[in-house]
Amino acid sequence: MKKLYFLLVICIFAGCKKDTPKPIPAASKKAPAIILTDERKVDIDTATIGTFKSETLKQFYIASENQTVWGNLQKRKYVLTQLENSDDLGLNPEDYKASQLKKFEVKIGSLTDKDLATYDILLTYNFEKYLNDLYKGKLDPKKLYGNWDLEEKTFDVNSVLIKAFNKNKLDSIVDNIQPKTQIYKELIKALEIINKFPEDDVQNIESVEKIVLNDTNNALINIKKRLRYWNDLNGRDSLTKIYDNKTFEAVKKFQERHGLAADGVIGVGTIKALNYSKEKRKEQIIANLERWRWYPSEFAENYFIINIPDYSLNVVENQDTTLVRNVVVGTSKRRTPVITSVLKTVVFNPTWTVPPTILKEDVVPAMKRNRNYLAKKNITIYDSSGNVVDPVNWNENKPNNYRYVQSPGYYNSLGLMKILFPNHHSVYLHDTNHRNIFGRNNRSMSSGCVRVENPLELAQHILDVDGNWPQDRIDTIIATKKTMSFKITKKYALYQWYWTAWSKKNQLLFRADIYNLDSDLYAKLRN
């Protein structure tokens, strides 16, 4: 009887666990009440709101007790003007039904209650869509790219809109929600600048051999026209086929604006940049505006910012640029990921473990040709038990069964130092054993990590918070050839991003789109 009673209790307990209700998902944040004016108002059918399948829209009209809200002419005009002029910010007015809304507005006085309700809903829906796109971008980078590691930006559009609506401050809402960063502002300026250029009717420059000062070449006529169009070549010019000093200086100016070697030599890179039309450059600016809306709206107090296509790293502290470094980034096949993170550790005399991609594409083919390949690079092979494997006994059919570790030293692939930060891509900043490459113009050469010029000076700069990291201390550590790690005590954010256009002092600046992202992104924005 006792056993039966015990089993009964167990069954009841199990039944209770099984029937425990699942937690209810948190409801959407309730919007603050909307203060309505005395202008004409009509009731809105909730079924019409439901056709938009937007919880935000639903909550907005709950806040107005399902009545129309845009009866005030001044408020309507503000919304309409913003949507009509959204192309000034690189967006497309027709994404927000600007033409359709204007047609409603023209006959506002004769609209039926039903049409007025439709107009009101469309105004709200499209303006909220516009605000969302301005704040966090139209597209989601995580759906576009597998190697873009950015936190999703959240935006309570109802609270922002209703607060501005109630306080009659709609005229400041658009400025307030856009990114505050200087480069974003420079991109807006770049769009304004390029819109002032006339229609582009200059012929394409045919591919030619290198042209140097005092050369004569038929292509120089169109080259000069291009330089004049972009205001790099000023004043009158006879448009001769001779590469004169005036054109030489104009070419250097053009090259500098485009991140090319400003040597005045007209080669393939310069011709390619010259052949970009106004429309293509405008598309590039618009694509970059979208990217900057994906990034955090404000920077940390201290940070490293890497522009991948510019091959540059800037250290910024308290809004002051304290160090600038050239960098090497990943190739188009092994791209450097876009990351926002925090610097954590400096490692001196790092070892290097050969990653899977390099193992497959580089090491295995080389080892099959020459079993001494790894030994020459001071790389030791270990089996799964941690035992050293003689290259003679290495099984070329099962290369993934081993670990390949390069010893510390001046010729280590990571050089003498690396800086670690949390990320999902196993990348970091580091020195290199190819220290002569930083003077090259095209530095898309790594396997994904970022190689930094003069990294020991950089390490001292970020470690020496209390004056306890003199250069000779680092030199002593390097001389030991022992791997040592040190925590970075000063908080630095890391922004490893991608942008190919901006402006400075009313000059348009562009960089080569090394990963070919701009055209595709623009096409998706206008799809």
Side-chain angles (χ1 to χ4, degrees):
M1 194 65 186
K2 286 183 179 179
K3 288 182 179 178
L4 183 62
Y5 178 76
F6 180 75
L7 286 171
L8 183 61
V9 171
I10 292 294
C11 289
I12 292 170
F13 180 72
C16 289
K17 280 188 71 178
K18 194 171 184 180
D19 292 335
T20 300
K22 295 179 180 178
I24 300 171
S28 299
K29 186 176 179 181
K30 186 178 179 181
I34 298 174
I35 301 172
L36 297 177
T37 51
D38 293 331
E39 284 86 3
R40 179 185 174 192
K41 296 186 290 288
V42 301
D43 292 332
I44 296 177
D45 185 352
T46 55
T48 306
I49 297 172
T51 60
F52 286 82
K53 298 180 180 179
S54 167
E55 182 62 26
T56 303
L57 190 70
K58 177 183 173 184
Q59 291 298 325
F60 181 89
Y61 281 105
I62 287 174
S64 75
E65 298 181 343
N66 290 320
Q67 288 187 309
T68 54
V69 302
W70 297 104
N72 181 279
L73 175 62
Q74 186 177 353
K75 289 179 177 178
R76 280 201 317 278
K77 279 194 170 180
Y78 174 78
V79 174
L80 291 169
T81 301
Q82 285 296 321
L83 300 185
E84 287 171 3
N85 297 335
S86 59
D87 51 354
D88 291 342
L89 301 178
L91 298 170
N92 182 6
E94 290 315 303
D95 282 347
Y96 313 105
K97 305 291 188 271
S99 298
Q100 183 184 359
L101 292 172
K102 192 172 182 179
K103 289 176 182 177
F104 272 108
E105 182 61 30
V106 168
K107 52 184 179 181
I108 184 77
S110 60
L111 291 178
T112 64
D113 286 358
K114 184 179 179 181
D115 286 342
L116 186 66
T118 299
Y119 181 31
D120 205 90
I121 294 169
L122 285 171
L123 272 173
T124 304
Y125 179 80
N126 285 288
F127 191 49
E128 290 202 332
K129 182 181 178 183
Y130 173 65
L131 295 178
N132 269 304
D133 290 354
L134 271 183
Y135 182 79
K136 59 182 180 180
K138 179 181 174 182
L139 304 174
D140 182 352
K142 289 186 178 180
K143 293 179 181 178
L144 296 177
Y145 313 116
N147 66 339
W148 282 57
D149 195 4
L150 297 169
E151 288 187 15
E152 185 178 355
K153 295 170 77 173
T154 58
F155 181 48
D156 186 353
V157 67
N158 272 340
S159 292
V160 171
L161 175 55
I162 294 173
K163 184 178 179 181
F165 182 97
N166 288 342
K167 293 186 175 182
N168 291 315
K169 291 187 176 179
L170 286 172
D171 58 344
S172 61
I173 189 171
V174 168
D175 287 338
N176 289 342
I177 65 167
Q178 290 184 77
K180 304 298 186 292
T181 53
Q182 185 60 31
I183 296 170
Y184 179 81
K185 294 174 184 176
E186 290 168 352
L187 274 164
I188 296 292
K189 183 65 177 177
L191 187 58
E192 180 187 330
I193 292 169
I194 205 162
N195 279 333
K196 291 177 180 176
F197 276 81
E199 289 305 307
D200 182 358
D201 59 357
V202 182
Q203 291 182 357
N204 215 47
I205 302 163
E206 297 301 324
S207 182
V208 295
E209 67 277 7
K210 283 186 179 179
I211 305 173
V212 298
L213 184 63
N214 297 322
D215 275 357
T216 300
N217 192 299
N218 291 334
L220 279 161
I221 293 175
N222 279 329
I223 289 171
K224 291 179 181 182
K225 286 181 179 180
R226 279 268 166 210
L227 292 169
R228 284 207 306 193
Y229 178 83
W230 291 115
N231 296 327
D232 293 303
L233 180 62
N234 297 316
R236 294 189 175 186
D237 189 279
S238 57
L239 297 178
T240 65
K241 302 173 185 178
I242 300 170
Y243 191 17
D244 53 30
N245 276 302
K246 187 176 180 181
T247 308
F248 180 75
E249 293 303 321
V251 167
K252 288 200 293 182
K253 181 181 176 183
F254 177 89
Q255 289 170 329
E256 189 173 357
R257 286 197 304 107
H258 292 77
L260 301 166
D263 54 11
V265 176
I266 303 173
V268 174
T270 302
I271 295 294
K272 185 177 179 181
L274 282 164
N275 274 331
Y276 264 76
S277 65
K278 170 193 171 179
E279 193 57 35
K280 279 295 177 186
R281 287 301 186 198
K282 182 175 176 178
E283 291 175 6
Q284 192 174 6
I285 291 167
I286 290 169
N288 279 276
L289 279 166
E290 172 73 2
R291 285 191 194 109
W292 275 92
R293 291 173 186 134
W294 297 339
Y295 301 147
S297 298
E298 296 182 357
F299 290 133
E301 184 179 4
N302 308 306
Y303 57 90
F304 281 30
I305 186 163
I306 294 168
N307 183 5
I308 295 168
D310 189 43
Y311 312 119
S312 66
L313 181 157
N314 284 21
V315 180
V316 181
E317 296 166 288
N318 297 315
Q319 301 184 339
D320 181 32
T321 301
T322 54
L323 274 179
V324 178
R325 287 288 180 268
N326 289 328
V327 299
V328 172
V329 301
T331 64
S332 58
K333 289 184 178 179
R334 301 174 183 176
R335 298 178 179 182
T336 293
V338 167
I339 288 170
T340 296
S341 189
V342 178
L343 302 183
K344 291 292 185 182
T345 310
V346 174
V347 181
F348 293 112
N349 295 321
T351 60
W352 179 61
T353 301
V354 179
T357 302
I358 294 178
L359 175 65
K360 178 184 176 182
E361 297 181 6
D362 301 336
V363 171
V364 171
M367 281 288 284
K368 286 180 179 179
R369 293 191 298 269
N370 179 7
R371 287 298 175 106
N372 290 323
Y373 171 78
L374 290 178
K376 289 179 179 179
K377 292 182 174 292
N378 209 19
I379 295 176
T380 304
I381 307 171
Y382 296 93
D383 63 20
S384 57
S385 300
N387 301 312
V388 175
V389 176
D390 191 304
V392 175
N393 299 322
W394 176 73
N395 186 344
E396 66 179 43
N397 297 316
K398 296 182 178 180
N400 294 324
N401 288 357
Y402 306 98
R403 193 162 53 94
Y404 308 81
V405 181
Q406 187 177 39
S407 301
Y410 188 77
Y411 297 104
N412 181 282
S413 292
L414 304 184
L416 300 173
M417 182 217 75
K418 66 179 179 180
I419 299 176
L420 305 179
F421 47 88
N423 67 89
H424 300 116
H425 306 277
S426 301
V427 295
Y428 35 83
L429 311 180
H430 66 88
D431 184 17
T432 177
N433 56 354
H434 299 289
R435 296 173 177 87
N436 60 338
I437 58 178
F438 292 101
R440 294 183 53 165
N441 185 51
N442 181 353
R443 296 194 295 277
S444 173
M445 303 168 64
S446 82
S447 298
C449 289
V450 173
R451 306 175 192 173
V452 183
E453 186 179 27
N454 299 326
L456 295 183
E457 293 177 13
L458 182 65
Q460 184 193 16
H461 181 86
I462 61 177
L463 288 173
D464 195 22
V465 177
D466 301 315
N468 57 353
W469 276 97
Q471 186 61 48
D472 56 2
R473 179 180 177 183
I474 293 177
D475 293 342
T476 301
I477 291 170
I478 296 300
T480 67
K481 292 190 177 181
K482 292 181 180 178
T483 303
M484 299 185 193
S485 300
F486 299 91
K487 183 179 178 181
I488 300 170
T489 57
K490 186 173 180 178
K491 189 172 181 180
Y492 288 94
L494 173 76
Y495 306 120
Q496 191 166 280
W497 294 345
Y498 191 100
W499 73 96
T500 59
W502 65 103
S503 70
K504 209 164 192 175
K505 296 180 180 178
N506 290 322
Q507 288 283 311
L508 294 172
L509 303 176
F510 297 100
R511 294 296 179 265
D513 179 18
I514 58 175
Y515 297 159
N516 296 315
L517 302 180
D518 289 342
S519 293
D520 181 64
L521 178 55
Y522 179 81
K524 286 182 168 65
L525 286 170
R526 291 298 185 257
N527 188 352

